[in-house]
């Protein structure tokens, strides 16, 4: 398949906007599947995990290939639930274009904004599909207005719906000025309905006026008030879409099979091929000042990004990879630039959801699964030895919730450990840590549903029954002032002793993570022991000091020290640095940080007072309120996660089940002093720390 006839696209949106339903229709109409799978009966092709079928939601992004009008479309369906935002993140990193699906009734929802911002981060061009136009309350123009107001989308209608709600019959193509009427399974072209002629004319004029900004020929015809050919407008609209200057908007009702053919045509007309995306640039791993540029050509040096790991019971670990340049062949040796080690390629598979097709080689633009990779993890760059480079990796958000876990039977401890290791390998937003002091295993994730799915997979995939504690907030620790700490570690136990002295300056490092700076002069500490100092500090930070939570956003400057030619060792300096950091940390006015959540609540007008009052009692801060639809409002608030446990039940009670909410992580923020004292006291009573 020529590269200009390839489209790597993702489908992303808020939960329940109909992404998987749109995908199933695309697969059916492109002949990839012979029957339409439905989410509600657990038969969706893309939702092939047992947990997805039971809940009717998408959890893992799935890749599938299909063809339309002589073009190959590699399609990635992504989750809408905020707990699985890393799935969207890694999919957006490797796709070239995106279909953003919006519900014709719900419009721009909280997760729509998150996905849109993620797509902005990776500069992904997109088109929009307003789905569910047959539902009561659907309003096409209102959704476009919301897209422009809340997403700054520069959205322009390329279609107008004919009728709405139960009267939705089809759509008018604004560029071609023709109507497409659906009658059951049949679709026919027709003249624009008389009642819509003025509306279509105005919409086309509005679109032409916008496109004239990007093309002199269109500008000339516009000023001369001449008809601009549809084909010319398409070319200009494509260029504007690829540069992310506009977002073409289409409409339909995927469940009723309306608008999918036109959406597929739009993917080909307006979304980029690998050639349109152009070259990828990677940093030289030997010299970060230099960069390498690789064009999407089979003859260029090989470069690819591993974006997802899946443990498959039949073939073992599958490493999903997007190739940007060069050719990959089975048996070939490639460099994992992230880890600095070589990997040999085993089998190469093209994935059709749960079906697989083995191929001997793959080229630029291909999204494939590799079998037999031993070292490669999510976000790793694979490249040739001639062009040793690192591509932009994948942004992984921090975990916000944790729970203790233990096997139901003691003899299954090893089995549980292996299963958790495999799951953590697959999902970079899931972490496992072992607390040596309490001899407990703690799992951390993005939300309650995220950990619920992990536990479900442990039980059904790995056949491990586990007992878990209640979900708890994943706090962090940091400091607020700068201090200097001096510690000498000397131990004599007969024979060779231990000796080390470190002097460090600890400074707050807001939002920049951990930073270690070596300012040793005159060999006060030999060069070989400097990494030992950093290692000792890192180990202490992971375990926490104030209340046993990981330490973040701290800068440590090593300013002085001393050593003994016989008694100094790697372990002596690790121990000394650890104690030095502990003492300094406790003097630097340490505080706890808690996850602050962005909460959006849809509630009928009559319950607004109760909902806002309840948010205030939960230490929440209402940011804005806006009209959602007639008789109801959207409330945007910031609320600490620890106050949101059990909120779903409470909201149901105070609104008679008529309100709904969603939330996502925003940032870590300082905990009020009174709350901090409670948390530290509770952790001490529980014996978390000595």
């Amino acid at each position: 398949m020529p590269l200009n006839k390839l489209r790597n696209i993702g489908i992303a949106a808020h939960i329940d906007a109909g992404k998987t339903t749109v995908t199933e229709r695309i697969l059916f109409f492109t002949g990839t599947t012979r029957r339409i799978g439905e989410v509600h009966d657990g038969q969706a092709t893309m939702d092939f995990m047992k947990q997805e079928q039971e809940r009717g939601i998408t959890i893992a992004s799935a890749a599938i290939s299909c063809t339309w009008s002589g073009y190959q479309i590699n399609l990635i369906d992504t989750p809408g639930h905020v707990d699985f935002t890393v799935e969207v993140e890694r999919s957006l990193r490797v796709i070239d274009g995106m279909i953003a699906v919006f519900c014709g009734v719900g419009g721009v929802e909280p997760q729509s904004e998150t996905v849109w911002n993620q797509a902005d981060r990776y500069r992904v061009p997109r088109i929009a599909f307003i789905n569910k136009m047959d539902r009561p309350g659907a309003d096409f123009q209102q959704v476009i207005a919301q897209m422009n107001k809340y997403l700054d989308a520069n959205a322009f209608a390329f279609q107008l719906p004919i009728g709405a709600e139960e009267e939705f019959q089809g759509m008018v193509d604004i560029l071609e000025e023709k109507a497409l009427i659906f009658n059951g399974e049949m679709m026919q072209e027709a003249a624009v309905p008389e009642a819509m002629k003025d509306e279509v004319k105005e919409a086309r004029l509005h679109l032409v006026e916008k496109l004239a900004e990007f093309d002199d020929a269109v500008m000339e015809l516009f000023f001369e008030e001449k008809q601009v050919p549809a084909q010319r407008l398409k070319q200009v609209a494509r260029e504007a879409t690829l540069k992310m200057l506009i977002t073409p908007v289409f409409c339909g009702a995927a469940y009723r099979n309306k608008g999918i053919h036109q959406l597929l045509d739009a993917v080909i007309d307006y979304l980029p091929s690998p050639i349109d995306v152009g070259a990828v640039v990677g940093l030289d791993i030997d010299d970060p000042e230099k960069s390498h540029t690789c064009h999407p050509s089979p003859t260029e040096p090989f470069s690819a990004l591993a974006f997802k790991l899946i443990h498959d019971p039949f073939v073992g670990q599958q490493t999903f990879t997007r190739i940007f340049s060069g050719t990959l062949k089975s048996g070939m040796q490639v460099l994992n630039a992230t880890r600095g080690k070589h990997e040999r390629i085993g089998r190469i598979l093209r994935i059709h959801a749960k079906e697989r097709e083995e191929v001997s080689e793959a080229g630029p633009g291909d999204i494939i699964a590799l079998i037999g990779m031993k070292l490669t993890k999510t976000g790793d760059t694979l490249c040739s030895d001639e062009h040793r480079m690192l591509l932009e990796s994948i942004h992984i958000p921090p975990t916000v919730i944790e729970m203790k876990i233990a096997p139901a039977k003691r003899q299954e401890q090893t089995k549980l450990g292996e299963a958790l290791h495999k799951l953590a390998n697959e999902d970079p937003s899931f972490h496992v840590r072992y607390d040596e002091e309490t001899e407990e295993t703690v799992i951390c994730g993005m939300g309650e549903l995220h950990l619920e799915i992990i536990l479900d997979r442990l039980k059904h995939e790995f056949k491990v029954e586990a007992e878990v504690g209640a979900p708890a907030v994943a706090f962090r620790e940091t400091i607020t002032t700068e201090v200097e700490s001096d510690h000498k570690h000397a131990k004599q136990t007969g024979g060779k002793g231990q000796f080390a002295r470190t002097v460090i300056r600890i400074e707050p490092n807001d939002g920049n993570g951990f930073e270690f700076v070596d300012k040793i002069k005159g060999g006060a500490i030999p060069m070989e022991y400097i990494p030992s100092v950093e290692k000792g500090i890192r180990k202490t930070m992971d375990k926490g000091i104030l209340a046993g939570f990981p330490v973040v956003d701290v800068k440590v400057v090593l300013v002085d020290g001393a050593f003994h030619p016989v008694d100094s060792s790697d372990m002596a300096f690790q121990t000394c640095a650890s104690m030095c950091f502990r003492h300094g940390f406790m003097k630097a006015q340490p505080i706890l940080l808690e996850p602050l959540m962005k909460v959006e609540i849809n509630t009928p007008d009559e319950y607004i007072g109760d909902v806002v009052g309840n948010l205030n009692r939960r230490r929440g801060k209402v940011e804005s309120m806006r009209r959602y639809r007639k008789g109801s409002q959207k409330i945007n608030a910031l609320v600490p996660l620890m106050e949101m446990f059990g909120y779903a039940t409470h909201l149901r009670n105070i609104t008679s089940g008529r309100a709904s909410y969603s939330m996502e992580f925003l940032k870590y923020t300082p905990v009020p002093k009174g709350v901090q004292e409670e948390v530290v006291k509770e952790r001490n009573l529980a014996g978390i720390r000595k």
Side-chain angles (χ1 to χ4, degrees):
M1 182 72 68
L3 273 178
N4 64 345
K5 294 208 160 189
L6 180 62
R7 300 285 184 273
N8 283 318
I9 65 162
I11 298 186
H14 183 82
I15 192 166
D16 280 343
K19 297 175 306 302
T20 300
T21 305
V22 169
T23 308
E24 291 298 326
R25 274 27 183 206
I26 287 175
L27 298 183
F28 178 72
F29 289 122
T30 56
T32 307
T33 54
R34 294 191 181 168
R35 64 180 288 277
I36 296 175
E38 300 295 3
V39 174
H40 59 78
D41 60 12
Q43 296 299 310
T45 309
M46 300 297 268
D47 288 351
F48 54 89
M49 282 169 63
K50 176 181 178 292
Q51 293 80 10
E52 294 175 314
Q53 292 166 357
E54 285 174 355
R55 290 168 178 78
I57 61 169
T58 301
I59 294 165
S61 49
I64 198 162
S65 294
C66 55
T67 54
W68 181 256
S69 300
Y71 286 74
Q72 182 183 323
I73 299 173
N74 291 331
L75 188 63
I76 295 181
D77 181 32
T78 59
H81 198 286
V82 71
D83 281 16
F84 309 103
T85 188
V86 74
E87 290 286 342
V88 183
E89 195 78 41
R90 53 185 171 187
S91 300
L92 286 169
R93 175 64 188 85
V94 296
I95 58 178
D96 299 329
M98 181 177 104
I99 302 172
V101 180
F102 296 90
C103 172
V105 183
V108 174
E109 301 271 12
Q111 190 65 4
S112 317
E113 297 185 43
T114 304
V115 169
W116 199 269
N117 293 336
Q118 286 172 312
D120 280 342
R121 181 186 294 139
Y122 294 114
R123 303 285 305 155
V124 179
R126 64 215 83 152
I127 60 175
F129 181 70
I130 298 178
N131 190 26
K132 304 189 181 183
M133 286 305 301
D134 57 335
R135 288 265 301 275
D139 189 331
F140 181 74
Q141 295 297 353
Q142 183 179 296
V143 179
I144 291 182
Q146 287 179 1
M147 286 174 67
N148 288 325
K149 184 176 179 182
Y150 303 118
L151 307 178
D152 199 17
N154 234 337
F156 285 83
F158 276 53
Q159 292 176 343
L160 287 175
I162 301 172
E165 304 182 353
E166 60 273 12
E167 299 295 316
F168 178 63
Q169 300 165 25
M171 62 282 293
V172 172
D173 183 322
I174 290 172
L175 296 189
E176 302 275 0
E177 293 182 284
K178 66 182 180 189
L180 303 164
I181 309 290
F182 292 91
N183 186 3
E185 294 294 307
M186 304 297 292
M187 181 196 76
Q188 62 188 59
E189 289 187 14
V192 176
E194 199 64 39
M196 288 184 70
K197 279 189 174 171
D198 288 346
E199 186 187 356
V200 172
K201 190 176 178 183
E202 191 181 325
R204 195 176 198 274
L205 196 65
H206 184 50
L207 184 54
V208 171
E209 186 180 2
K210 181 65 184 175
L211 296 177
E213 293 176 19
F214 314 124
D215 186 80
D216 291 342
V218 174
M219 176 80 77
E220 207 173 303
L221 290 168
F222 174 70
F223 280 130
E224 290 173 5
E225 296 185 5
K226 290 180 180 174
Q227 182 77 348
V228 185
Q231 201 51 44
R232 182 67 193 164
L233 288 175
K234 268 189 188 176
Q235 286 169 3
V236 178
R238 176 180 174 77
E239 287 163 20
T241 306
L242 298 187
K243 290 173 184 167
M244 295 175 61
L245 298 170
I246 64 166
T247 305
V249 183
F250 303 86
C251 64
Y255 186 62
R256 307 276 175 216
N257 304 331
K258 293 177 180 176
I260 301 300
H261 291 77
Q262 292 69 39
L263 183 62
L264 282 163
D265 289 339
V267 165
I268 285 154
D269 288 341
Y270 303 110
L271 290 183
S273 70
I275 291 174
D276 295 315
V277 174
V280 289
V281 178
L283 294 177
D284 190 302
I285 59 173
D286 302 314
D287 181 3
E289 298 296 312
K290 278 172 62 183
S291 62
H292 291 291
T293 303
C294 289
H295 295 86
S297 160
T299 55
E300 286 268 314
F302 172 71
S303 67
L305 188 79
F307 69 96
K308 184 180 173 73
L309 271 64
I310 290 181
H311 178 75
D312 187 296
F314 302 106
V315 296
Q317 184 177 288
Q318 295 181 15
T319 307
F320 278 77
T321 305
R322 159 73 196 261
I323 301 176
F324 290 100
S325 64
T327 303
L328 185 68
K329 297 181 179 178
S330 49
M332 186 169 148
Q333 182 173 280
V334 297
L335 174 71
N336 181 325
T338 311
R339 317 240 163 236
K341 294 185 177 172
H342 288 90
E343 285 263 43
R344 189 164 294 283
I345 304 300
R347 295 159 63 203
I348 303 173
L349 303 179
R350 278 192 208 286
I351 304 296
H352 305 286
K354 55 186 171 183
E355 305 296 323
R356 321 175 181 82
E357 171 202 350
E358 189 162 346
V359 293
S360 58
E361 64 176 59
D366 282 338
I367 293 176
I368 43 149
L370 303 175
I371 310 297
M373 306 293 273
K374 292 181 173 62
L375 306 163
T376 305
K377 303 271 189 296
T378 295
D380 285 4
T381 300
L382 302 175
C383 62
S384 63
D385 271 316
E386 297 77 54
H387 278 65
R388 296 155 58 84
M389 65 175 190
L390 274 173
L391 298 170
E392 181 192 357
S393 190
I394 294 164
H395 170 73
I396 309 296
T399 56
V400 296
I401 197 165
E402 57 183 40
M403 58 172 65
K404 294 168 193 163
I405 186 170
K409 299 173 186 164
R410 196 158 184 81
Q411 60 267 37
E412 288 196 328
Q413 182 69 51
T414 307
K415 197 175 172 186
L416 174 67
E418 287 170 357
L420 289 173
H421 177 69
K422 281 177 181 169
L423 289 168
N425 253 352
E426 280 184 24
D427 182 353
S429 65
F430 170 65
H431 299 295
V432 183
R433 73 169 193 272
Y434 183 69
D435 192 316
E436 288 169 5
E437 291 178 11
T438 59
E439 297 185 343
E440 289 174 321
T441 302
V442 180
I443 57 175
C444 316
M446 298 298 297
E448 289 181 81
L449 180 62
H450 187 198
L451 295 184
E452 185 189 317
I453 298 295
I454 293 284
L455 296 172
D456 210 27
R457 290 187 65 192
L458 277 175
K459 183 177 178 180
H460 293 103
E461 274 179 50
F462 297 95
K463 308 289 185 258
V464 179
E465 290 281 353
E467 292 173 350
V468 293
V473 174
F475 292 97
R476 297 286 186 269
E477 300 178 9
T478 194
I479 55 168
T480 52
T481 61
E482 183 181 311
V483 297
E484 194 166 282
S485 179
D486 183 343
H487 183 76
K488 185 169 82 171
H489 173 66
K491 212 171 185 183
Q492 202 67 44
T493 51
K496 189 180 174 186
Q498 286 186 32
F499 180 87
R501 176 176 169 245
T502 55
V503 182
I504 60 174
R505 189 170 70 248
I506 308 173
E507 306 169 11
N509 199 25
D510 287 350
N512 295 313
F514 172 61
E515 206 178 321
F516 179 77
V517 181
D518 170 22
K519 288 276 180 75
I520 290 292
K521 290 189 175 77
I525 299 175
M527 283 298 293
E528 65 262 32
Y529 295 136
I530 304 292
S532 308
V533 173
E534 184 177 352
K535 194 174 178 184
I537 292 169
R538 281 187 183 274
K539 277 186 179 174
T540 308
M541 286 177 66
D542 288 344
K543 289 180 183 175
I545 299 163
L546 181 64
F549 297 106
V551 175
V552 295
D553 296 344
V554 172
K555 182 177 180 180
V556 177
V557 183
L558 179 59
V559 291
D560 199 4
F563 74 104
H564 187 279
V566 177
D567 291 348
S568 286
S569 64
D570 166 56
M571 190 47 69
F573 270 100
Q574 276 196 51
T575 307
C576 180
S578 172
M579 295 307 295
C580 190
F581 182 75
R582 274 179 175 275
H583 295 155
F585 185 88
M586 291 308 288
K587 288 191 290 183
Q589 294 177 20
I591 58 167
L592 283 184
L593 301 173
E594 64 181 337
L596 187 68
M597 309 305 282
K598 199 162 80 172
V599 181
E600 183 162 298
I601 303 157
N602 300 331
T603 176
D605 289 344
E606 60 261 40
Y607 302 112
I608 282 173
D610 292 338
V611 171
V612 171
N614 184 254
L615 287 173
N616 291 336
R617 285 192 291 278
R618 293 173 184 267
R619 295 195 283 127
K621 179 186 170 193
V622 174
E623 293 276 281
S624 66
M625 290 167 65
R626 59 181 161 105
R627 177 70 53 203
Y628 176 45
R629 59 172 83 102
K630 195 175 178 184
S632 67
Q633 302 252 10
K634 274 190 182 187
I635 301 170
N636 290 296
L638 303 178
V639 191
L641 176 63
M642 71 181 296
E643 306 292 346
M644 290 300 288
F645 289 116
Y647 185 64
T649 307
H650 197 85
L651 183 66
R652 211 164 33 238
N653 290 342
I654 61 174
T655 64
S656 305
R658 292 174 63 197
S660 62
Y661 84 102
S662 66
M663 67 176 180
E664 63 177 291
F665 170 74
L666 179 66
K667 62 180 180 181
Y668 270 92
T669 187
V671 174
K673 197 171 179 193
V675 178
Q676 176 171 312
E677 285 168 2
E678 281 293 312
V679 173
V680 173
K681 185 178 166 188
E682 205 176 291
R683 297 281 282 190
N684 284 331
L685 285 174
I688 298 297
R689 293 163 51 248
K690 286 180 180 173

